[in-house]
Amino acid sequence: MNKKLVSLVLSAAVAITCFCGCGKKTSYKPLKDEDDTVYTIGMVSSVSENDDLKKGFEDAVSDTFGKGHYKFVNATCSSKNDTASIQSLLDQGAQLILTEDWKSLVASYTLTQQASDDKDKTPVVSTGVNDIAAALGIEYSDEDNKTTGVNVTGVTPSPGVSSKLSELIETVKKPKRVGIIYSPENRDAVKENRLLEEYLSQAGIGYREFILPTSAYKSLMKDSAEAEAIKKSDDMDPTVPQISDDFAGSLFQIANDSQILDWEKKARRSLKNASSSKIIKTAVQQCDALFISSGFSAGTVKKITRAARNADLVTFGSDDTAGRYSLITLWADPYDSGYQAGEMVYQILVNGQNPGDMPIASQSEDSFHKLYNGSYAEVLGLTFPKSFSEYSSFMASYEPGEGTEKVSDEEEN
């Protein structure tokens, strides 16, 4: 596919993403002072709680419900099967549960499904999962509108894959091979990788998956039921690295198909049970750029980016943690995701909307920012156009919610 056509494909995908995420806001009427209704809203987060996301959520609830008509109860969900934290929220009378990541979402959904009747199921709003259906192991009841058909809705917090790839291509210019580093434990990463591979194939860019197992993933794979669930969430066995058709050819300039096939078999076999250090070293040696998927700890990301920087290799960080240490990232203001989630809570609790019929929302385009790491760029001798901002400088001056359209803003217009 030629570059012009690739650009059109990516631009169209970005436009579709924007169109689906944009739209006129619902009209909100704060409850009257004489109304003594108080809604109890539970918030369950992972151990990596995001203060800006929480602030956006609380601001939206205040703007829509009006002060004195809500109270928050909080809990921390530290593991995928930790339903005790969600049960504590329900015991405190939570009428709706906000979840901050896929682990807390799955745990909340699992527990709330125990109600005998759909109307008795506690509504769940997600703010940290890009593909809610994949995380829950279900299909969307309406794929076009992204409605779940169950007691769950939410806000997708991340920019589209096409936008991320556009930024990577803009930085690398002419990549031949992109390494995708991920752990299959993270359902969002699996889904994102499949879309990324489709775009890379359309652009004629080779790719190879490098599975970097987290300790949590290794533990989960010991449970046969959970291992099968993870494999089911992927479209192929996640324990076997995947290689695009032209990856080996672009690496070795091999013309013989049988030689390429033989190399791919050996390459997969050599990494299946390799150490993380060997996997990272191989990725750096074989690729022009690395795409670091979501879900890794800061320590793991530092290990990857240190090796890549030493080899003058571009890295793209797909979430906040990876973006902090990678050369480039497309940063999404978490305040925006939290604020939109707060508006959804009003629609469910006050307006009586069914979460299963509510389309999954997307963050506003104004809340996404192209960032680069200044010290990393200096090592590679790269300069960036004005459309990019330097990560540290941007974070030092940015006010959370600058790109968020608020209910209070509408009232002033």
Side-chain angles (χ1 to χ4, degrees), residues 182-184 186-194 233-235:
Y182 81 113
S183 175
N186 191 303
R187 310 290 172 81
D188 267 353
V190 170
K191 192 77 172 183
E192 181 177 66
N193 292 351
R194 292 295 164 258
S233 73
D234 206 340
D235 60 2

Side-chain angles (χ1 to χ4, degrees), residues 218-258:
K218 292 177 181 177
S219 176
L220 287 173
M221 291 305 285
K222 293 178 182 178
D223 182 336
S224 59
E226 185 59 35
E228 287 304 312
I230 290 175
K231 290 180 180 181
K232 188 176 180 181
S233 73
D234 206 340
D235 60 2
M236 53 194 76
D237 187 347
T239 61
V240 181
Q242 305 302 316
I243 305 170
S244 67
D245 292 340
D246 60 351
F247 187 93
S250 64
L251 184 63
F252 298 117
Q253 301 301 311
I254 302 173
N256 188 305
D257 289 342
S258 63

Side-chain angles (χ1 to χ4, degrees), residues 240-381:
V240 181
Q242 305 302 316
I243 305 170
S244 67
D245 292 340
D246 60 351
F247 187 93
S250 64
L251 184 63
F252 298 117
Q253 301 301 311
I254 302 173
N256 188 305
D257 289 342
S258 63
Q259 287 179 292
I260 293 176
L261 182 61
D262 183 57
W263 179 84
E264 289 180 354
K265 289 180 179 178
K266 290 179 180 178
R268 291 190 181 104
R269 194 163 53 244
S270 68
L271 291 182
K272 186 168 183 178
N273 297 305
S275 66
S276 60
S277 296
K278 180 179 179 180
I279 294 170
I280 294 169
K281 182 179 179 180
T282 303
V284 169
Q285 290 175 338
Q286 293 183 352
C287 301
D288 304 316
L290 298 181
F291 184 94
I292 306 173
S293 296
S294 57
F296 288 115
S297 67
T300 298
V301 173
K302 287 180 181 179
K303 192 174 181 179
I304 298 169
T305 55
R306 189 183 304 117
R309 186 187 297 209
N310 291 339
D312 292 340
L313 205 67
V314 169
T315 53
F316 180 97
S318 188
D319 64 4
D320 286 350
T321 302
R324 192 176 304 126
Y325 304 104
S326 297
L327 173 65
I328 55 174
T329 189
L330 189 53
W331 183 77
D333 184 356
Y335 182 99
D336 190 87
S337 178
Y339 196 93
Q340 290 196 54
E343 293 179 288
M344 285 183 156
V345 171
Y346 179 95
Q347 294 172 34
I348 294 169
L349 295 183
V350 178
N351 289 344
Q353 289 194 29
N354 179 359
D357 296 332
M358 296 173 65
I360 304 300
S362 300
Q363 280 197 219
S364 60
E365 287 295 308
D366 290 340
S367 70
F368 300 143
H369 303 272
K370 295 194 294 187
L371 306 181
Y372 72 93
N373 183 307
S375 61
Y376 196 149
E378 187 175 352
V379 170
L380 271 60

